Amino acid sequence: MNGGDEVMTAPAGPPQPLEWKFSQVFGERTAGEEVQEVDIISAIEFDKTGDHLATGDRGGRVVLFERTDTKDHGAPRRDLERMDYPISRHPEFRYKTEFQSHEPEFDYLKSLEIEEKINKIRWCQTANGALFLLSTNDKTIKFWKVQEKKVNKISDMNLDPPKAVGNGSMASSSNSNSPIPCLANGGSPDRSYNYLENDFSFPPGGLPSLRLPVVVTSQETNLVARCRRVYTHAHDYHINSISNNSDGETFISADDLRINLWNLEISNQSFNIVDVKPANMEDLTEVITSAEFHPTHCNMLAYSSSKGSIRLIDLRQSALCDSHAKLFEEPEAPGSRSFFTEIIASISDIKFARDGRYILSRDYMTLKLWDINMNSGPVATFQVHEYLRPKLCDLYENDSIFDKFECCLSGDGLRVATGSYSNLFRVFGCAPGSTEATTLEASKNPMRRQVQTPSRPSRSLSSITRVVRRGAETSGVDANGNPFDFTTKLLHLAWHPTENSIACAAANSLYMYYA
């Protein structure tokens, strides 16, 4: 400046808000179409590469999708970007396969029905071109291997009866120029060759010669899902979480009162590492709601409770980790306690950031971002649907107050997202100075309900009050003045690990968006 060599650069501000666009939808409903209960999506998970996406539903099915926009050029997207190769603007996925993971069961000892609904899906490390994943319902965890296998077909018979000569010998061999037509499962469309049918009888004098099928491996492949292991009889209460360890060998499963540690190779034994069950169940004050391993430290995991606290534990301290290494909770504001305080404080989901430095938690009303090095309180709080606070009594009456919303972080850690009612979901910027707070709808026009709303409504309550008061006092309207619908809720969503792409479930439909 002023003839000097130094150039002053302004400090980089927070990233600009993203403009979200519709990408794809799978299982889109037509107007007036009734949704079957078994088709409602209950779990969503990207794998670590972002090239595969898995969904689970209430019917016990797992559906896999694979990315297609990187396969066209035969190289990973990041490598193509380095080469300035022209690529599509956003991730595109296609249906890959599906399989029945769980079936409805009945516990005869407890006279308890165990529904087949998939609660969680977690991807495991791939090996030899095969995909591995864990899926769980309320009681049973299964380890699946999905692999492409070449299809065996019957190409020909070793002898051709029409060319048989009178002395019983055959004039042709397996290399006949007129092969017998065949089916993939080994059958023949011509009844004369189906010697194993029930109405077959041997001709007088017997068969001229023994006929054997020739099996060949075709170039056609078929995806096969095989259950490698079943982990069961370890939980008295409903499983709410499973999480892989970064060591690639172990995982945890959590129910209301216990967390168990498993080895992927051993299905008949697990170790109980957390047990919050009191000697007298009348003394029970809180339950475990979610648990997750640290993404890089194999000895650390976190679990949340119904009282709104998060405990970080270290497996190196003791075999039974009832004492936590760190406790994260927000002090209750004086005079703010009500009948609903404990209910809405219950944490429904926690997620570690990719680098393991931060933990994102979702309770009924807010998203909170915690720094694991600072347990005095959250570093950021995002109001998801503050306009529902006057309606808590109605939400309690129709049980909506117990809905369990999931949350997710972007791969770069700059944004967080979670769902709400009326098939809406919110995206917040969590970088210092960011005011990004986007409301999107799970439809082909995600920005339809978007208006300028404050990033953290708790800091500007006057504007919220003004918008809500614009409608009738008794009508249910959200912060944008639109009517909200408690029956359509967006509970499950996942953020692509490396790109700004979100997959979310609205009933039986899977919507995907990119920015």
Side-chain angles (χ1 to χ4, degrees):
M1 308 296 285
N2 297 331
D5 294 332
E6 294 183 5
V7 177
M8 300 293 289
T9 57
Q16 292 295 312
L18 296 176
E19 183 181 347
W20 292 91
K21 300 180 182 68
F22 169 79
S23 173
Q24 289 172 282
V25 59
F26 296 94
E28 185 182 17
R29 277 180 293 160
T30 57
E33 180 185 353
E34 187 176 347
V35 179
Q36 298 296 318
E37 179 80 9
V38 294
D39 294 332
I40 295 177
I41 297 172
S42 56
I44 300 180
E45 185 78 5
F46 281 104
D47 71 348
K48 285 188 176 180
T49 64
D51 290 337
H52 292 92
L53 174 68
T55 66
D57 62 26
R58 294 188 184 180
R61 294 179 298 257
V62 172
V63 183
L64 304 185
F65 301 87
E66 67 176 347
R67 188 165 177 175
T68 58
D69 57 313
T70 55
K71 286 192 171 185
D72 297 338
H73 306 299
R77 184 184 182 95
R78 289 180 293 276
D79 296 342
L80 295 172
E81 286 172 344
R82 288 193 207 103
M83 296 184 295
D84 291 332
Y85 204 103
I87 55 177
S88 61
R89 292 178 56 203
H90 59 89
E92 290 182 1
F93 285 79
R94 71 178 176 194
Y95 169 87
K96 186 178 179 76
T97 188
E98 68 180 88
F99 54 90
Q100 189 70 33
S101 173
H102 288 72
E103 301 278 359
E105 301 173 54
F106 188 81
D107 188 334
Y108 294 98
L109 293 177
K110 298 181 180 179
S111 295
L112 183 70
E113 287 187 5
I114 304 170
E115 62 179 357
E116 65 272 34
K117 173 191 162 198
I118 304 295
N119 290 343
K120 296 289 179 184
I121 297 173
R122 290 292 180 266
W123 289 92
C124 302
Q125 293 180 357
T126 59
N128 300 324
L131 303 174
F132 295 89
L133 50 93
L134 289 165
S135 63
T136 184
N137 65 354
D138 287 338
K139 295 289 185 180
T140 305
I141 307 161
K142 294 186 178 182
F143 183 46
W144 291 91
K145 178 182 181 181
V146 182
Q147 190 174 29
E148 283 191 352
K149 290 196 172 183
K150 290 187 175 180
V151 178
N152 288 337
K153 287 190 176 182
I154 308 301
S155 69
D156 203 350
M157 292 293 183
N158 63 334
L159 293 173
D160 198 351
K163 296 188 178 182
V165 294
N167 60 4
S169 64
M170 288 299 205
S172 64
S173 67
S174 59
N175 296 323
S176 168
N177 292 328
S178 56
I180 299 167
C182 59
L183 302 176
N185 62 0
S188 171
D190 191 336
R191 289 183 58 86
S192 64
Y193 302 126
N194 289 339
Y195 290 150
L196 297 181
E197 289 191 5
N198 293 331
D199 58 352
F200 169 73
S201 59
F202 281 88
L207 288 172
S209 181
L210 181 65
R211 300 178 65 251
L212 297 175
V214 177
V215 181
V216 297
T217 302
S218 69
Q219 294 303 310
E220 182 183 338
T221 59
N222 192 19
L223 275 167
V224 178
R226 190 162 62 91
C227 183
R228 295 286 302 275
R229 283 174 192 84
V230 179
Y231 314 89
T232 188
H233 305 308
H235 288 279
D236 291 330
Y237 303 92
H238 289 178
I239 297 171
N240 56 47
S241 303
I242 52 175
S243 179
N244 310 75
N245 198 344
S246 58
D247 63 10
E249 297 179 359
T250 56
F251 70 94
I252 55 169
S253 59
D255 64 19
D256 291 344
L257 299 180
R258 292 188 177 95
I259 299 177
N260 293 330
L261 178 68
W262 301 82
N263 188 300
L264 281 168
E265 301 296 323
I266 304 170
S267 60
N268 59 358
Q269 183 184 45
S270 65
F271 298 95
N272 179 225
I273 55 175
V274 174
D275 189 347
V276 300
K277 184 178 181 180
N280 184 356
M281 285 296 281
E282 291 182 359
D283 299 331
L284 183 67
T285 58
E286 63 181 333
V287 295
I288 298 167
T289 57
S290 183
E292 184 164 277
F293 261 119
H294 191 282
T296 55
H297 298 330
C298 62
N299 55 285
M300 292 176 64
L301 63 96
Y303 70 92
S304 60
S305 83
S306 58
K307 276 195 167 181
S309 60
I310 301 172
R311 290 172 173 84
L312 192 68
I313 61 176
D314 192 334
L315 296 176
R316 297 171 298 184
Q317 288 185 342
S318 64
L320 189 62
C321 303
D322 285 345
S323 60
H324 52 268
K326 286 186 178 181
L327 174 67
F328 304 93
E329 58 184 357
E330 190 169 26
E332 189 178 306
S336 63
R337 190 167 186 82
S338 71
F339 173 77
F340 304 110
T341 300
E342 281 197 14
I343 300 175
I344 64 175
S346 177
I347 294 174
S348 56
D349 190 28
I350 59 170
K351 291 284 187 345
F352 272 99
R354 199 174 185 184
D355 60 1
R357 171 71 183 271
Y358 296 95
I359 299 174
L360 181 67
S361 69
R362 169 70 202 264
D363 57 42
Y364 188 69
M365 299 296 290
T366 65
L367 271 176
K368 292 186 175 77
L369 191 66
W370 307 79
D371 186 334
I372 64 170
N373 297 329
M374 188 182 82
N375 55 3
S376 58
V379 294
T381 299
F382 308 97
Q383 307 291 346
V384 179
H385 38 217
E386 188 64 21
Y387 51 85
L388 292 181
R389 198 171 289 275
K391 297 281 183 183
L392 289 179
C393 192
D394 297 335
L395 293 162
Y396 179 78
E397 290 292 329
N398 61 23
D399 284 344
S400 293
I401 201 169
F402 301 107
D403 288 334
K404 300 184 185 306
F405 292 94
E406 294 179 0
C407 59
C408 58
L409 298 97
S410 61
D412 56 15
L414 297 178
R415 293 173 180 86
V416 296
T418 191
S420 182
Y421 293 101
S422 303
N423 281 344
L424 301 178
F425 63 101
R426 310 286 314 273
V427 178
F428 299 97
C430 53
S434 175
T435 59
E436 182 175 358
T438 309
T439 302
L440 302 156
E441 182 183 41
S443 68
K444 288 187 174 180
N445 183 12
M447 307 292 282
R448 183 166 69 92
R449 297 201 181 195
Q450 180 62 22
V451 298
Q452 290 300 316
T453 56
S455 172
R456 292 165 177 80
S458 58
R459 298 180 184 175
S460 52
L461 286 174
S462 59
S463 62
I464 293 291
T465 308
R466 187 170 62 250
V467 173
V468 172
R469 283 179 180 169
R470 195 166 52 199
E473 290 296 325
T474 57
S475 67
V477 293
D478 62 19
N480 296 339
N482 299 302
F484 52 75
D485 180 5
F486 295 139
T487 62
T488 56
K489 46 201 169 194
L490 201 148
L491 302 176
H492 312 286
L493 75 172
W495 202 301
H496 192 282
T498 58
E499 299 174 28
N500 287 322
S501 176
I502 292 178
C504 57
N508 65 328
S509 302
L510 175 67
Y511 286 91
M512 306 191 73
Y513 303 95
Y514 70 99

